Amino acid sequence: MNAHPDFLTHRRKPKFKLPPGSTDAHCHVFGPGDRFPYAPNRRYTPEDAPKDMLAALHRHLGVERVVIVQASCHGSDNRAMLDAIADDPANIKGVCIVDNTFGDKEYQALHDGGVRGARFNFVKHLGGTPDMDLFRKTVDRIKEMGWHIVLHMDAPSIIPLSDMIRALPLPFIIDHMGRVPGKDGVDQPPLKALLELAKLDNAWIKVTGAERISLPPYAEAVPIAQAIMAVAPDRVLWGTDFPHPNSTHEADEADLVDLVPQY
């Protein structure tokens, strides 16, 4: 990722005009590292992509509302995200990462700072299954606060985790279409399991991450998103995933906006 202020000169304007009030429901802020250090035990070190860069991208795309998702490289230090929310708390909200040290004071500070969800990674390259005691404790804690839980997982994990997910007593969101490979099409078992979960009233699926499950122009992602939207048309979320950590290529967010009418 080019962290220079002119990074938008390499990005085109989308052909599709997003409607008023459009929300980027999945994006990140990274650093700057000299102000908001990355976690010592991180699995990757991104290039800085601070809040002003994200704001510039959203102006460029026509996005008006934002959900900033805490990424694993910052661990449970949510300060960079909270700092970005504070610039426009009416239109920016956040999803945090927590650990076993968090008590009432920490949760209240997150809530007051605009956080409305907690995220857990089940993705192998990011460390695999989380501490399930912490997971269960967090679910109980945030349920009473009216928050939701965000699940980031790989396609092979969807079927093994389905029973646990079905039992969740609060709204849950699955990131990036469950990361099911676009090349495997709509008949793949992980997608079928995801669609079964999508039928639950408390299930939301992000039709984000086209650039994670396919390559430009992302045609293989379209039928996957369409299958999800056919099951739960009013419980899907769209976002850019800027700045695309650990991606296989540099995505142009205009391409991701232009997928919306195709979906």
Side-chain angles (χ1 to χ4, degrees):
M1 167 54 60
N2 179 355
H4 298 109
D6 65 348
F7 80 104
L8 287 173
T9 59
H10 306 295
R11 284 163 159 74
R12 66 177 181 82
K13 274 273 195 188
K15 296 188 182 79
F16 178 66
K17 185 171 167 41
L18 289 167
S22 287
T23 304
D24 182 346
H26 190 106
C27 52
H28 308 287
V29 285
F30 293 148
D34 57 358
R35 186 176 171 206
F36 301 113
Y38 298 108
N41 61 344
R42 63 191 179 274
R43 293 299 179 106
Y44 66 95
T45 303
E47 288 195 33
D48 285 350
K51 63 182 183 180
D52 54 342
M53 210 169 157
L54 183 64
L57 174 73
H58 286 148
R59 287 191 297 272
H60 174 77
L61 298 177
V63 166
E64 294 179 17
R65 302 187 300 173
V66 183
V67 180
I68 299 175
V69 176
Q70 179 78 350
S72 65
C73 61
H74 271 300
S76 57
D77 179 351
N78 296 281
R79 287 178 301 161
M81 176 187 63
L82 290 168
D83 178 66
I85 295 172
D87 285 353
D88 187 3
N91 291 303
I92 309 175
K93 295 290 183 264
V95 173
C96 67
I97 291 176
V98 301
D99 62 34
N100 277 308
T101 68
F102 282 55
D104 289 347
K105 184 169 72 103
E106 288 77 17
Y107 275 107
Q108 193 59 51
L110 288 166
H111 191 84
D112 293 346
V115 169
R116 293 297 181 267
R119 188 188 200 208
F120 281 86
N121 267 303
F122 293 81
V123 173
K124 292 227 171 9
H125 72 259
L126 297 173
T129 305
D131 174 345
M132 291 309 289
D133 283 339
L134 172 63
F135 179 84
R136 285 185 285 269
K137 193 168 83 174
T138 303
V139 165
D140 290 342
R141 184 69 184 79
I142 69 175
K143 179 175 179 277
E144 65 193 48
M145 298 174 70
W147 289 15
H148 61 274
I149 196 96
V150 177
L151 308 173
H152 185 207
M153 63 184 75
D154 294 308
S157 299
I158 297 172
I159 294 171
L161 290 174
S162 284
D163 286 347
M164 180 275 286
I165 294 170
R166 283 181 176 283
L168 288 170
L170 77 178
F172 66 87
I173 298 174
I174 295 177
D175 281 344
H176 304 326
M177 304 189 250
R179 298 180 71 118
V180 297
K183 65 179 174 50
D184 292 350
V186 294
D187 291 324
Q188 58 179 303
L191 178 59
K192 289 182 172 175
L194 183 68
L195 296 179
E196 287 302 308
L197 292 171
K199 293 174 184 175
L200 299 171
D201 288 343
N202 60 329
W204 296 69
I205 314 287
K206 286 181 187 163
V207 290
T208 54
E211 80 285 6
R212 301 203 171 275
I213 68 169
S214 60
L215 293 169
Y218 311 119
E220 290 176 334
V222 173
I224 305 290
Q226 288 175 337
I228 294 166
M229 292 172 70
V231 170
D234 54 350
R235 286 182 282 104
V236 292
L237 302 163
W238 174 87
T240 61
D241 193 24
F242 178 83
H244 318 285
N246 294 311
S247 57
T248 58
H249 60 282
E250 185 164 356
D252 187 328
E253 292 77 23
D255 294 337
L256 305 177
V257 171
D258 288 339
L259 286 174
V260 172
Q262 295 183 56
Y263 291 170

